Amino acid sequence: MSFLATAPEAAVSAETVPGLLAHLWDEASRPDRQASEALYLTFNVSLEFFETRLLGISRAAGAAVTVIADANHYAPNSRAISGAGRSYVSGLAAIPGAFHPKVTVLAGPERALIGIGSGNLTVNGWHRNEETLTLVTADREHGCPAIVTEVIAWLRGLPDLVPITRLAADGIQRTAAELARLTSVAPPLDTGHRLVTTSGASIIDQLPVGHAERLDLYAPFHDPQGAALEALLTRYRPKELLVAVQPGLTVIDPHALQRAAASHGAALTFQPAGDVYRHGKLLQAVFSDGTGWTLTGSPNLTAAALLRPVEQLGNCEVGVLAPLAGSLYPGQDDAIPLDNVPTVRIDAPGEEKSERERFGQGLPVLLGAVLNGNQLDLQFAKPLPAGVVLEASRFDDLPEQYVSLGVLPAGRASVQLPIPEQFQPGTRLHVLVSTADGPVWGPDIHVTDPVGVLKRVSPSSSGRTNVDVHPGDLFGDPGVAEAWQKALTQLLSSRGRVALPRAAMGQHATTGPGEIRVRPAEGWHTVDAPDAWARYTDDATVRLGNQIADFAIGGLPKLTSTNAVQGGGAAPIWFDRFADIDPTAADDEHNAEEIDALEDQLEANAAPSVDHRKLSEREKARYRRWLHTLADLMKTAPAIDRSAMVGLILIATNLDIWDSATETPGWFDLFADAVRALPGDDVPEPLTSQLGSLAAVCLFRLDEAQPANGRTHQNQVFDDTRDELRDLIARADPDAVAANCESLGAGGRTGTAVLHVAPAAVWEHRNAILRADSHADALNKLQRNFPTSDVKALGPLTFEIRGDFTNTVKIAAQAITLVDGLPTVAVDAVGRSDRSTLIRHDDTLTHVTSIGQRTVYKTYRLTRLVDPVAIASNRELEQSARIDRAPWMALSPTAQRALDAVARVEHGSSSTANSLSPT
């Protein structure tokens, strides 16, 4: 995926990519904020995904935002939506078929960006699925492709053809007008691309005519009877027909397609389309000379998509017809036998009838609700039947808390009501209809402020700003990560450093075992001094973007200075910041009725699913370089930026871009270097708790990953890092630790890398470090390294390991080598049939065991090269390291000193000869 910043010339391209995120990001990061309109047309929509990932980018580009989805498949999660009706228009389109275009437009007087593809406005459509996208860019100076004028004409006619929310229809017309202004001044370009739609004619009638040697096809949905394929075969008479499928996922009747191909004398071959769910559609015609054309976009291989216009109850579809520049066909070489392609249907008659009744004669469709002076304007798709009740849930109330506003007048499609008390934008409305089977409620529609949704962000007066990108998006595309870091580098190089007094670290008082209370630092404004903290966080938001700035401060109140631009008001108390974005939600197709049956069918087939696209080796290398650059950037970055960078590197430790934590390429040393850069003399007091809590999580992660034998380079790195951060983690707070752990795990709801960390474990680990409790550390380390054995402490210096092992000497040697924080330690290993005790004291090792009825005491000299494991494993080394010679039935002075050292701590007195003898 290329960036507009590196390729400013207008262009049209067809790429197999999940979305336009990187291109939108680049436009949003430009300081002129020239875009005036952002328009998203989709079949299925996840507004929680849109608000989290795309709303901030669109508004940062300067645009007013309009989203339009299919009314009959609209099912918002109101707990995860706070901006609909307040900072953007959420509109609906209602037709008997499916409102099915997948079109994104970002338009301004200088530049425009248009995406025409197959991906819905969902997590799957923008991140997980394999989609096909045609990208169109126009530039006032470099030119405007001719297809833009066709987009304008289609947009202008859409509201007359399809019932659409009025404010959303206004957004369509504004977008078309903005594109028209650009085309009037930009040089025209003919790229050979054409727009095809179902407005006024069927798509098949707009395709080129003439014989094709071969047709290459892919769609996730086919007609049950193969009607669309039959029409294509009649029109193009190909000798060969290639159909890519995903067995068990592709909705298809292979026998119907085989019969259609055979009746036209075409050789049909089914081929695999890969493992990742492919939602992109393709019709590719190849001529005998190798030339041809492609059709991409929203149409499936169905009659509703290809053979009927909207006026004849077809779907509303949009596609791009382009010359064949390179094959887009996803099929792989191996043929799939006909019997290995299962029939998958979604035509459940009973469910289909019930769902169709919702539109035709059942539940009314509320398209929009707009505040208009002192009244509320309601718009319905068709005149209301009798007995429809309107219910409301005010914006600040719980989304489940509804009150009745009364029965609506029958026979009208537009209704005006006086505005109830305390009504405000974002209030939720739905209709209620009583049926023989009980009450039925419609989806929540958000009341819209027609003035507020048109407020646009002003151009930046301070030069280039960074985009509001979600942390998870940085790990969805290395291009996005690199561009964000590049903008951050430029902003850091141009910023004026604000000297901040160092927070008073290292000043803490203990009030009990494991409890640390921090004395307030002096010399710095607190959160109660809003101006200083607001300026600090505003400055960080410019550099990092709003969402990563929030990520950096870990939930602290980020006050807003008086000149900050608001994006729609604060979220209410019920707002679910970590609401589930269902990764398995159905994306398509045909019409709303078929979706419910499709979900059941796919679950019944239990086909394997892939959460997100696997990174290539080149992309893995790009991410590793990016992370090293980020770590280097920390040396000159302010404290809040360092918090964000360490958090991002922490998440990246769980990415599939490393061979392991410690092997090359590994993340251990990189991460430790970054964590050690967290403290500094510029940490403001409100941020110390977050930095301390983040440091505690990071130390826990490093401790988990360090090698078990305790003698490696990484073990020393961890010890040094722990010692350097001891003062910082003293400032940690259990709630902030929990918030950091929660934010690290939240990425999984969008398919990105997640890191699940238990807050209680992190807090105990942090307390153990502050107590300098070598005994607790030793027990924790032994339990972690001997997970199948019963490990317990018998006393301050003595540990017991019981397990199903035979070589107890070797187990005790491994254990005593791990416990390197205690100058004197004893390990008693009890195995399947024998028992051995090892005592390390100063530079000696005493081995206590039994032979028959006698106790044996062997002693050894330890050096840097001779450790307990080496003695237990190497016979020659064991002999050369001996201190006392046989016989070993009596205590030698060396063994006596070791036993006494343990006994003084354990019992407060010297040992007897058999105090640690095996029994």
Side-chain angles (χ1 to χ4, degrees):
M1 184 180 283
S2 60
F3 287 93
L4 300 180
T6 59
E9 295 80 6
V12 179
S13 62
E15 303 176 81
T16 304
V17 296
L20 296 168
L21 186 62
H23 303 272
L24 295 173
W25 187 96
D26 183 81
E27 183 63 36
S29 66
R30 296 173 184 255
D32 60 0
R33 291 176 178 158
Q34 62 89 40
S36 61
E37 298 294 333
L39 177 65
Y40 295 86
L41 305 180
T42 181
F43 171 69
N44 189 26
V45 65
S46 167
L47 290 182
E48 54 265 46
F49 161 74
F50 173 74
E51 290 192 4
T52 301
R53 299 303 179 89
L54 299 175
L55 177 60
I57 296 176
S58 303
R59 288 180 57 79
V65 183
T66 303
V67 176
I68 305 175
D70 186 293
N72 299 305
H73 192 57
Y74 182 65
N77 175 9
S78 291
R79 272 197 170 272
I81 301 169
S82 65
R86 297 162 61 82
S87 55
Y88 69 98
V89 174
S90 174
L92 299 173
I95 58 175
F99 182 76
H100 202 246
K102 291 34 177 314
V103 177
T104 300
V105 182
L106 189 66
E110 299 296 326
R111 298 176 298 278
L113 170 69
I114 303 173
I116 304 169
S118 59
N120 285 296
L121 196 57
T122 63
V123 177
N124 288 344
W126 280 66
H127 289 287
R128 290 195 177 97
N129 297 341
E130 291 286 356
E131 305 283 359
T132 304
L133 173 74
T134 300
L135 172 66
V136 183
T137 63
D139 185 278
R140 181 187 184 95
E141 179 181 353
H142 296 96
C144 182
I147 193 175
V148 176
T149 61
E150 298 173 353
V151 172
I152 294 169
W154 174 71
L155 289 175
R156 283 176 168 167
L158 193 59
D160 295 331
L161 187 65
V162 177
I164 295 176
T165 307
R166 277 189 286 271
L167 282 181
D170 293 344
I172 292 176
Q173 298 296 356
R174 292 195 308 271
T175 302
E178 194 63 71
L179 289 173
R181 282 190 286 271
L182 183 58
T183 60
S184 68
V185 296
L189 298 173
D190 185 5
T191 62
H193 293 71
R194 284 178 43 213
L195 192 75
V196 293
T197 76
T198 51
S199 297
S202 67
I203 284 180
I204 195 169
D205 289 337
Q206 301 170 61
L207 300 179
V209 297
H211 167 68
E213 188 75 13
R214 190 182 78 240
L215 290 181
D216 303 332
L217 307 176
Y218 178 79
F221 290 79
H222 295 253
D223 276 324
Q225 291 78 35
L229 180 63
E230 174 73 31
L232 290 170
L233 290 168
T234 300
R235 185 178 181 91
Y236 293 107
R237 307 181 309 281
K239 295 179 181 179
E240 188 178 2
L241 184 63
L242 300 181
V243 178
V245 296
Q246 292 182 305
L249 294 178
T250 302
V251 177
I252 191 173
D253 184 343
H255 300 283
L257 270 59
Q258 178 63 51
R259 288 192 296 270
S263 68
H264 289 269
L268 171 61
T269 302
F270 292 107
Q271 295 179 316
D275 296 328
V276 178
Y277 181 65
R278 181 171 291 277
H279 189 251
K281 292 85 169 156
L282 173 68
L283 168 55
Q284 183 169 279
V286 182
F287 303 140
S288 57
D289 61 357
T291 62
W293 51 267
T294 62
L295 173 67
T296 58
S298 68
N300 282 290
L301 292 170
T302 65
L306 293 178
L307 308 186
R308 295 197 299 268
V310 173
E311 297 89 336
Q312 298 177 16
L313 304 184
N315 294 344
C316 180
E317 305 278 4
V318 180
V320 175
L321 191 64
L324 180 61
S327 178
L328 298 178
Y329 176 65
Q332 300 167 2
D333 292 338
D334 297 335
I336 303 177
L338 179 65
D339 292 341
N340 290 354
V341 181
T343 297
V344 178
R345 298 181 183 276
I346 54 173
D347 53 353
E351 293 183 22
E352 183 172 327
K353 180 180 178 182
S354 173
E355 290 293 331
R356 285 181 177 169
E357 286 176 352
R358 285 184 58 195
F359 182 85
Q361 60 190 25
L363 196 65
V365 177
L366 176 58
L367 292 178
V370 180
L371 296 174
N372 182 10
N374 60 357
Q375 71 178 20
L376 178 66
D377 292 346
L378 305 178
Q379 178 191 358
F380 292 87
K382 54 173 61 174
L384 290 168
V388 177
V389 176
L390 182 69
E391 295 188 328
S393 173
R394 292 179 176 84
F395 179 71
D396 288 329
D397 291 341
L398 294 175
E400 300 83 9
Q401 183 178 331
Y402 270 86
V403 296
S404 175
L405 298 184
V407 179
L408 297 172
R412 295 167 58 181
S414 295
V415 178
Q416 288 75 42
L417 300 174
I419 297 178
E421 185 180 356
Q422 297 181 352
F423 236 50
Q424 57 180 309
T427 291
R428 298 162 292 279
L429 302 176
H430 64 217
V431 295
L432 167 64
V433 175
S434 296
T435 70
D437 298 326
V440 180
W441 292 270
D444 290 345
I445 302 299
H446 294 81
V447 173
T448 301
D449 174 8
V451 176
V453 294
L454 292 181
K455 290 182 179 179
R456 296 174 171 89
V457 179
S458 302
S460 171
S461 60
S462 59
R464 188 178 178 92
T465 61
N466 217 336
V467 75
D468 184 17
V469 62
H470 189 277
D473 288 333
L474 298 179
F475 300 110
D477 184 339
V480 172
E482 291 164 350
W484 176 83
Q485 176 264 313
K486 181 180 179 182
L488 175 60
T489 302
Q490 294 172 347
L491 289 162
L492 283 172
S493 65
S494 62
R495 69 183 278 272
R497 178 176 172 84
V498 179
L500 302 175
R502 181 171 182 169
M505 299 195 182
Q507 301 178 16
H508 61 270
T510 59
T511 58
E515 294 297 325
I516 303 296
R517 254 185 218 169
V518 181
R519 299 192 184 103
E522 299 177 355
W524 175 246
H525 295 291
T526 68
V527 170
D528 297 326
D531 289 342
W533 180 240
R535 286 195 301 270
Y536 186 74
T537 54
D538 279 353
D539 188 36
T541 301
V542 169
R543 295 188 304 274
L544 302 171
N546 188 65
Q547 294 180 81
I548 293 183
D550 284 344
F551 178 63
I553 63 177
L556 287 171
K558 189 183 70 173
L559 304 180
T560 306
S561 60
T562 55
N563 62 350
V565 177
Q566 294 300 307
I573 193 169
W574 50 258
F575 181 59
D576 187 357
R577 179 180 180 187
F578 299 108
D580 286 331
I581 300 177
D582 185 3
T584 62
D587 262 320
D588 254 17
E589 281 307 332
H590 299 317
N591 50 43
E593 299 83 20
E594 296 168 335
I595 297 302
D596 294 331
L598 171 63
E599 291 177 324
D600 296 338
Q601 180 69 54
L602 293 183
E603 184 175 350
N605 290 340
S609 62
V610 179
D611 278 349
H612 50 81
R613 180 177 59 87
K614 187 176 181 180
L615 294 173
S616 67
E617 290 303 318
R618 181 174 178 272
E619 288 174 318
K620 292 179 182 180
R622 287 176 66 185
Y623 267 124
R624 291 194 295 268
R625 287 195 299 271
W626 175 70
L627 292 164
H628 280 279
T629 302
L630 211 59
D632 290 339
L633 197 59
M634 289 184 62
K635 299 172 184 175
T636 57
I640 192 169
D641 297 45
R642 299 198 300 273
S643 176
M645 295 171 186
V646 167
L648 292 172
I649 297 174
L650 172 58
I651 293 175
T653 64
N654 205 44
L655 277 178
D656 184 26
I657 62 175
W658 316 96
D659 286 353
S660 72
T662 57
E663 297 177 4
T664 304
W667 55 261
F668 193 93
D669 287 352
L670 165 70
F671 184 42
D673 287 343
V675 175
R676 286 199 297 271
L678 273 176
D681 61 359
D682 63 338
V683 180
E685 174 62 21
L687 198 60
T688 55
S689 173
Q690 162 59 12
L691 260 62
S693 302
L694 177 60
V697 177
C698 293
L699 284 175
F700 182 83
R701 176 67 168 152
L702 285 167
D703 197 5
E704 280 189 322
Q706 67 170 324
N709 64 25
R711 299 289 183 176
T712 69
H713 160 75
Q714 284 80 19
N715 298 124
Q716 187 62 51
V717 168
F718 173 78
D719 291 344
D720 293 344
T721 306
R722 177 196 58 204
D723 293 342
E724 289 185 33
L725 294 182
R726 195 180 299 273
D727 285 347
L728 182 58
I729 65 172
R731 309 300 302 274
D733 174 84
D735 292 336
V737 167
N740 276 275
C741 293
E742 185 176 22
S743 66
L744 292 169
R749 304 183 191 274
T750 59
T752 54
V754 294
L755 187 61
H756 296 292
V757 182
V762 173
W763 190 247
E764 177 55 36
H765 183 263
R766 169 257 189 196
N767 288 341
I769 292 175
L770 291 181
R771 288 193 303 264
D773 190 342
S774 299
H775 179 266
D777 287 345
L779 180 60
N780 181 276
K781 188 177 291 186
L782 290 175
Q783 289 173 336
R784 192 168 67 239
N785 283 274
F786 296 95
T788 62
S789 300
D790 180 19
V791 180
K792 61 184 178 181
L794 301 179
L797 302 180
T798 308
F799 302 89
E800 180 185 80
I801 303 176
R802 288 182 177 267
D804 188 25
F805 40 77
T806 56
N807 192 335
T808 56
V809 179
K810 185 172 290 188
I811 294 296
Q814 292 171 351
I816 212 164
T817 302
L818 287 171
V819 184
D820 55 358
L822 298 171
T824 300
V825 63
V827 174
D828 190 19
V830 183
R832 188 183 307 168
S833 58
D834 70 335
R835 179 175 190 167
S836 296
T837 301
L838 292 182
I839 305 170
R840 188 187 67 233
H841 174 60
D842 294 336
D843 60 349
T844 67
L845 180 70
T846 300
H847 176 201
V848 185
T849 188
S850 59
I851 300 177
Q853 299 297 317
R854 299 182 178 181
T855 302
V856 175
Y857 304 91
K858 293 184 179 181
T859 56
Y860 305 92
R861 181 72 61 192
L862 298 175
T863 68
R864 291 176 61 96
L865 299 178
V866 179
D867 63 12
V869 173
I871 292 171
S873 305
N874 188 307
R875 178 66 174 171
E876 291 185 5
L877 200 60
E878 186 269 342
Q879 292 178 349
S880 64
R882 290 175 184 169
I883 297 175
D884 301 311
R885 302 303 171 183
W888 301 292
M889 306 302 179
L891 278 171
S892 69
T894 303
Q896 185 68 61
R897 283 193 295 272
L899 290 168
D900 288 347
V902 173
R904 275 193 297 271
V905 176
E906 301 284 351
H907 309 293
S909 61
S910 298
S911 71
T912 63
N914 62 354
S915 63
L916 275 175
S917 299
T919 58

